Amino acid sequence: MNPLIKFFRTKIYTAVFLLVVLLLIGVTGYKMISSYSWIDSLYMTVITMTTVGFGEVVPLDDQSKIFTIFLILASVVIVGYALSIITEYILSKNDIDELIHKKMQKKIDSFKGHIVICGYGRNGKQAARKLLAHKKEFVVVEKDKEIEERLQVDGVSYVIGNANEDETLIQAGIDRASCLISALPNDADNLFVVLSTRQLNKSINIISRASLETSYDKLKLAGANNVILPDKIGGDHMASLVVVPGLMEFIDNLSIVGKSNINIEEVAVEKLYSNSKEARTIKDLDLRKKTGCTVIGYKDEKGEYLVNPEAELELASNSKLIVLGRPEQIDALNSEYNIN
């Protein structure tokens, strides 16, 4: 939450607390001093605090009049304080929100090669958590303004607006982004976002969610590089837990989302040695000895994958290695080769 809003809310809570305390003192005082009933004590306290000028329940004696004088003086101070704080908050809230959005937009404008996530529901939030764990820059586009506070608490960059509108996507820096994750609950909305994004950025990698299998081909045709069916994946995963439970449990623990629990990393070959013209093999890199990580996959320059590549495999330019290791070994790999 923004510090200014938090500050105002703290002052409002303080004002409300003081009003409640004053009300309790007034009710208890009239009950004990003037022997009023609880209802009459509450009535006298309220009309005294609000200074509406209604008549007394019964004539007050000297002791009750002195108590009333102090209650009026205290009410003027506390009620005045509460009204000023609430008024200041209402008048300043729009200015605070505008300041927050300007500061957020300035941060987003500095991003380049970032990821844009459309929708902060279950899938969008899970994607954001994963990207945070991998320290990737990303922007969330969310239409529901009520989720803004949750976005602030989670500490993510965001744009409040409709992802179906080009202006909102441009505000999120879609023209400079490297990837789009469209995680909206409606397939038609995802389709529109994919079409708009592909028009605004021809080279961006687009990953879209789909609820229905019939939407798969449409989203691919619209320009999505990958289409994910969460329900299908979830069903396959549950069935796999029955068929090969031990294997699935192991796979689930390979890439748990967390601050330091990253077990799999994809690394561009160019980052592993300085001279990109020099043909080197996996054996020459000797990642196992240097970092403890094990190479479990290879993605060539054409985008084709090879599982468990041989040690003598020559590494081509624009290819990538998939390595497996414990969190501390992945950290050692990143440190050894200055991988961000």
Side-chain angles (χ1 to χ4, degrees):
M1 185 185 299
N2 185 272
L4 287 174
I5 293 179
K6 188 175 181 180
F7 173 71
F8 270 116
R9 288 193 176 180
T10 301
K11 293 178 73 174
I12 290 174
Y13 294 152
T14 302
V16 171
F17 173 75
L18 291 174
L19 286 173
V20 171
V21 171
L22 186 62
L23 182 66
L24 292 175
I25 291 174
V27 172
T28 305
Y30 281 119
K31 176 67 176 175
M32 296 177 63
I33 297 172
S34 303
S35 300
Y36 285 169
S37 66
W38 286 112
I39 295 297
D40 288 341
S41 298
L42 177 61
Y43 173 77
M44 281 296 298
T45 302
V46 171
I47 65 173
T48 302
M49 288 177 61
T50 55
T51 64
V52 294
F54 289 165
E56 302 165 356
V57 177
V58 295
L60 298 175
D61 56 21
D62 292 342
Q63 194 174 6
S64 298
K65 288 179 181 178
I66 293 173
F67 175 75
T68 303
I69 290 171
F70 282 107
L71 186 62
I72 291 173
L73 294 175
S75 299
V76 169
V77 175
I78 295 176
V79 173
Y81 172 75
L83 289 175
S84 65
I85 291 300
I86 294 172
T87 303
E88 186 180 1
Y89 175 73
I90 293 172
L91 294 177
S92 302
K93 192 173 187 305
N94 291 334
D95 294 335
I96 293 172
D97 289 342
E98 186 178 352
L99 183 64
I100 292 172
H101 292 157
K102 283 184 178 180
K103 185 177 180 181
M104 183 66 68
Q105 190 59 50
K106 186 177 181 180
K107 180 181 179 182
I108 293 171
D109 290 342
S110 68
F111 288 171
K112 188 175 181 180
H114 59 288
I115 299 98
V116 176
I117 302 175
C118 294
Y120 202 62
R122 291 191 301 271
N123 297 120
K125 189 179 295 185
Q126 187 68 22
R129 289 178 60 199
K130 190 75 171 180
L131 293 174
L132 280 173
H134 284 265
K135 299 178 181 178
K136 298 291 185 180
E137 290 183 337
F138 65 93
V139 179
V140 172
V141 177
E142 175 56 53
K143 181 171 65 174
D144 190 355
K145 191 145 182 18
E146 294 181 359
I147 300 180
E148 184 172 9
E149 187 171 335
R150 169 51 53 189
L151 290 164
Q152 292 175 356
V153 171
D154 292 345
V156 303
S157 301
Y158 65 90
V159 171
I160 298 297
N162 192 341
N164 289 335
E165 299 176 358
D166 289 355
E167 292 80 6
T168 304
L169 292 174
I170 292 172
Q171 193 176 346
I174 198 69
D175 53 326
R176 308 183 307 276
S178 62
C179 182
L180 168 85
I181 298 175
S182 188
L184 301 175
N186 186 283
D187 286 357
D189 289 337
N190 285 318
L191 181 62
F192 200 91
V193 170
V194 170
L195 282 169
S196 299
T197 300
R198 184 55 71 198
Q199 184 180 15
L200 294 169
N201 190 335
K202 302 295 183 184
S203 61
I204 192 172
N205 180 38
I206 300 177
I207 303 168
S208 177
R209 174 191 185 277
S211 300
L212 304 175
E213 292 190 29
T214 53
S215 302
Y216 183 92
D217 292 334
K218 296 176 184 177
L219 286 163
K220 293 285 284 187
L221 186 63
N225 300 92
N226 300 96
V227 179
I228 307 300
L229 294 158
D231 293 338
K232 181 179 179 181
I233 292 174
D236 289 345
H237 190 85
M238 288 187 285
S240 297
L241 287 171
V242 175
V243 179
V244 282
L247 176 60
M248 293 308 298
E249 186 176 354
F250 173 75
I251 292 174
D252 286 343
N253 281 279
L254 285 182
S255 56
I256 298 174
V257 174
K259 292 184 178 179
S260 60
N261 294 319
I262 299 172
N263 303 102
I264 299 178
E265 190 73 88
E266 183 183 72
V267 186
V269 167
E270 284 76 15
K271 293 185 178 181
L272 299 175
Y273 54 90
S274 56
N275 188 357
S276 60
K277 295 181 180 179
E278 180 184 354
R280 300 189 63 172
T281 65
I282 294 176
K283 182 179 180 180
D284 293 332
L285 289 175
D286 201 10
L287 294 181
R288 179 70 180 175
K289 182 178 180 181
K290 293 179 180 178
T291 66
C293 294
T294 302
V295 178
I296 62 171
Y298 175 71
K299 181 180 179 181
D300 63 20
E301 65 276 16
K302 297 178 182 178
E304 297 181 358
Y305 284 91
L306 176 64
V307 178
N308 194 24
E310 294 79 7
E312 302 300 330
L313 176 69
E314 290 190 354
L315 304 175
S317 299
N318 300 319
S319 61
K320 295 182 179 180
L321 290 178
I322 294 88
V323 299
L324 173 68
R326 296 191 301 275
E328 62 271 18
Q329 293 171 334
I330 296 294
D331 289 340
L333 173 73
N334 294 333
S335 299
E336 177 74 20
Y337 297 99
N338 295 320
I339 301 172
N340 297 322

